[in-house]
Amino acid sequence: MDKVNELKEKGNQALSAEKFDEAVAAYTEAIALDGQNHVLYSNRSAAFAKAGKFQEALEDAEKTIQLNPTWPKGYSRKGAAAAGLSDFMKAFEAYNEGLKYDPTNAVLLQGRMEITASALNFMQSQGDIPMDVDPQQARSRRAPSPPPAKPAEPPKPAEPRVEDMTEEQKNKYFAKKEKELGNAAYKKKEFETALKHYNAAIEHDPTDITFYNNIAAVHFERKEYEECIKQCEKGIEVGRESRADFKLIAKSFARIGNTYRKLENYKQAKVYYEKAMSEHRTPEIKTSLSEVEAKIKEEERMAYINPEKAEEEKEQGNLFFKKGDYSTAVKHYTEAIKRNPDDPKLYSNRAACYTKLAAFDLGLKDCDTCIKLDEKFIKGYIRKGKILQGMQQQSKAQAAYQKALELDPNNAEAIEGYRQCSMNFQRNPQEVLKNAMSDPEIQQILKDPAMRMILEQMQNDPNAVKEHLQNPAIADKIMKLLESGIIQIH
């Protein structure tokens, strides 16, 4: 039985979400396990009717009545299905039969009233004799050959007679009328009038979450945010008690989220958007949730900024850089950047570490960032030029040095870098290699058996360079070979 109840609940949820095929499938599976359960046939009849499959709905309604002939809902299902098939007489008889078992049943009374009105409208639209006119008079009044009538509009349900209603039906009827007046006033931005009507609706029917949601919408428009939240919370409480549609409860949670967002309390907004998503997922709520999460992340980033802490981390980075521990220096410079992301010197310092570690792509990115932060930061252009030289991109390196010289024509590092690039343009690779080999320091490095083994390993496995660059002494030798053009790392 637990499985049957589980499937029934699954069908109910699918029906509420207007996933009619899923609902039918769940109820059908439950019926296979418990074929004598009249509620399952009733629910599947409702799902078929919602999907416009009125014949199937009628068959299930009749099965419901067969299993439980005294249950009024079976007759209301049959009436609705017959009405969908335009079988007005069968619908009328179904509602009448159900009222024998429950004479005050609001659904059956309303159904009988609507089907009567629909039948009359349909008969009149087809040219049948009105019920309040003598047949002989009607025949004498008719024109001999009337023109073909235009297709009749679908019949509108007749306005219910208040005097025929129960007390509960009256309350719901008048509450609906007040809500409609409130909606009209709201659209005109006549908020005071709208509030008056929505509150009147609650007096008639305090169990409808919609009225509280509408009052909250008015307070939101008037920027009365605390009152908006209060009304939404009240609506959720009422909705839970009356088992309201989860979409309406999601709407209340989302409105609280929107309100906290207006108050720039993004963490609370996130909480309520998540609650709304747990009730009913919509693209709008999902987008709002993503946007507040981005706001929260930005707030946390800004809250972390502390220039004094950044300076401390930079000093630690400088200390490890001097020791040749470039990896640890990178960690400290990275933390410094988090603490003060607008300081170009920090990116420049980290770029120097990346250069020593032969992580040229990361170093180049840091150079571009520090130049973007301060276009007059000469060190950024010089650092960029050296990295591009190490990557054997002489023309780009020369352009970087040129930018530095535009800012300071007498800068020695920029002048020397620009000169080296110009010379490398004019020399062929063989000449570069010949000049490098004439350098005693280069000769000494290449004669070192350990360095020869390292260079051979680097040739077979380019990733090995990162491991060797952890050793400051080896890193200096590799950088000397890079600058001379003996080796290249891309």
Side-chain angles (χ1 to χ4, degrees):
M1 291 306 293
D2 287 343
K3 181 63 175 176
V4 171
N5 290 331
E6 182 184 328
L7 287 167
K8 185 180 79 169
E9 185 58 31
K10 181 180 177 183
N12 293 348
Q13 290 178 2
L15 186 59
S16 297
E18 299 183 1
K19 297 177 180 177
F20 306 128
D21 291 340
E22 287 183 25
V24 167
Y27 294 137
T28 301
E29 193 175 344
I31 287 169
L33 299 174
D34 185 4
Q36 298 303 307
N37 190 326
H38 64 281
V39 175
L40 297 175
Y41 285 100
S42 171
N43 289 6
R44 190 170 70 175
S45 175
F48 276 133
K50 290 280 189 181
K53 299 177 180 179
F54 297 111
Q55 185 58 47
E56 292 87 340
L58 182 61
E59 290 170 7
D60 272 358
E62 289 175 339
K63 182 67 175 178
T64 303
I65 294 169
Q66 179 190 333
L67 292 171
N68 191 345
T70 62
W71 195 46
K73 185 172 277 189
Y75 296 97
S76 68
R77 296 287 192 224
K78 183 176 179 179
L85 293 168
S86 297
D87 191 340
F88 302 123
M89 185 56 70
K90 183 176 285 188
F92 186 82
E93 289 172 353
Y95 290 128
N96 260 351
E97 191 67 23
L99 287 167
K100 290 179 183 179
Y101 299 103
D102 186 0
T104 63
N105 187 289
V107 175
L108 291 169
L109 288 168
Q110 186 73 16
R112 186 175 67 176
M113 188 184 305
E114 289 178 359
I115 203 65
T116 301
S118 297
L120 287 171
N121 288 337
F122 180 78
M123 289 166 63
Q124 290 174 354
S125 70
Q126 297 300 311
D128 287 351
I129 299 169
M131 294 179 67
D132 58 348
V133 178
D134 180 76
Q136 188 64 37
Q137 289 179 333
R139 280 194 293 273
S140 65
R141 290 174 187 173
R142 278 186 191 160
S145 299
K150 293 181 180 179
E153 294 182 3
K156 296 180 180 178
E159 187 73 14
R161 287 163 50 87
V162 176
E163 55 268 29
D164 294 336
M165 297 179 183
T166 64
E167 195 61 33
E168 182 183 354
Q169 288 174 324
K170 286 179 183 178
N171 285 332
K172 290 188 178 295
Y173 174 78
F174 288 122
K176 182 182 177 183
K177 289 294 181 185
E178 291 289 353
K179 185 190 82 168
E180 289 170 355
L181 292 170
N183 291 350
Y186 179 87
K187 289 176 182 177
K188 297 176 184 176
K189 297 192 179 294
E190 296 172 359
F191 297 130
E192 201 61 44
T193 304
L195 280 178
K196 177 184 173 183
H197 288 296
Y198 291 143
N199 282 313
I202 288 175
E203 288 179 14
H204 287 294
D205 181 9
T207 65
D208 193 329
I209 184 177
T210 305
F211 306 147
Y212 299 92
N213 275 346
N214 289 4
I215 290 174
V218 172
H219 288 302
F220 186 86
E221 288 295 326
R222 294 168 68 168
K223 296 183 171 55
E224 297 165 353
Y225 297 128
E226 296 299 326
E227 191 60 33
C228 174
I229 292 170
K230 191 185 299 182
Q231 288 296 326
C232 286
E233 289 173 342
K234 179 64 177 173
I236 292 165
E237 181 185 339
V238 167
R240 296 284 193 212
E241 290 174 359
S242 59
R243 298 188 177 182
D245 189 336
F246 54 84
K247 292 179 182 177
L248 295 173
I249 293 174
K251 193 173 184 179
S252 295
F253 279 128
R255 182 159 281 134
I256 295 177
N258 291 339
T259 305
Y260 277 118
R261 189 175 180 183
K262 282 287 184 180
L263 293 169
E264 297 186 357
N265 187 342
Y266 300 115
K267 289 186 178 178
Q268 277 296 90
K270 179 175 183 286
V271 168
Y272 282 94
Y273 284 139
E274 286 173 342
K275 287 184 178 182
M277 290 281 280
S278 70
E279 297 289 336
H280 180 57
R281 298 175 70 87
T282 67
E284 294 78 14
I285 298 174
K286 188 176 180 181
T287 299
S288 296
L289 178 60
S290 298
E291 289 172 353
V292 297
E293 284 175 338
K295 285 282 188 182
I296 291 168
K297 190 174 181 181
E298 179 61 17
E299 280 186 344
E300 290 173 348
R301 187 187 74 84
M302 294 300 293
Y304 199 69
I305 292 174
N306 186 327
E308 292 180 3
K309 290 281 187 183
E311 192 62 29
E312 292 174 11
E313 291 293 338
K314 187 184 84 169
E315 292 302 322
Q316 286 293 312
N318 293 347
L319 184 64
F320 281 101
F321 185 89
K322 289 175 183 176
K323 291 180 181 179
D325 188 349
Y326 305 121
S327 295
T328 304
V330 164
K331 291 178 182 177
H332 286 288
Y333 289 137
T334 299
E335 180 63 20
I337 287 169
K338 289 179 182 177
R339 293 288 189 176
N340 190 6
D342 295 330
D343 186 350
K345 299 184 187 69
L346 301 176
Y347 295 94
S348 175
N349 289 5
R350 191 170 68 175
C353 291
Y354 284 140
T355 304
K356 292 291 187 182
L357 294 168
F360 295 130
D361 54 340
L362 296 175
L364 199 59
K365 185 178 178 181
D366 272 356
C367 288
D368 287 335
T369 301
C370 73
I371 291 168
K372 184 178 179 181
L373 290 170
D374 184 358
E375 293 182 353
K376 295 183 179 180
F377 186 60
I378 295 176
K379 196 79 172 176
Y381 293 105
I382 293 172
R383 193 87 72 194
K384 182 176 181 178
K386 288 190 175 184
I387 290 173
L388 290 167
Q389 272 187 288
M391 297 172 74
Q392 302 302 314
Q393 296 183 21
Q394 303 298 335
S395 60
K396 292 182 179 179
Q398 190 176 43
Y401 289 128
Q402 179 63 44
K403 289 290 292 185
L405 289 170
E406 288 173 9
L407 296 170
D408 181 6
N410 299 316
N411 186 284
E413 280 187 278
I415 292 170
E416 177 59 22
Y418 190 88
R419 186 187 66 79
Q420 287 178 1
C421 290
S422 299
M423 289 175 61
N424 288 333
F425 274 136
Q426 298 169 5
R427 294 186 294 177
N428 58 42
Q430 289 78 14
E431 187 179 348
V432 170
L433 184 61
K434 182 179 177 182
N435 289 336
M437 293 299 292
S438 65
D439 185 332
E441 189 176 354
I442 298 293
Q443 292 175 11
Q444 190 66 32
I445 293 170
L446 294 175
K447 286 178 183 178
D448 183 347
M451 279 302 300
R452 291 176 68 88
M453 187 180 297
I454 289 168
L455 292 172
E456 185 177 341
Q457 186 181 0
M458 286 169 55
Q459 188 172 7
N460 296 327
D461 179 12
N463 291 323
V465 67
K466 294 180 181 178
E467 181 181 343
H468 293 302
L469 287 171
Q470 301 298 321
N471 185 321
I474 294 173
D476 286 340
K477 292 177 180 179
I478 289 175
M479 291 306 298
K480 181 69 178 175
L481 294 176
L482 278 169
E483 291 172 0
S484 68
I486 292 289
I487 62 172
Q488 297 181 21
I489 298 177
H490 299 287

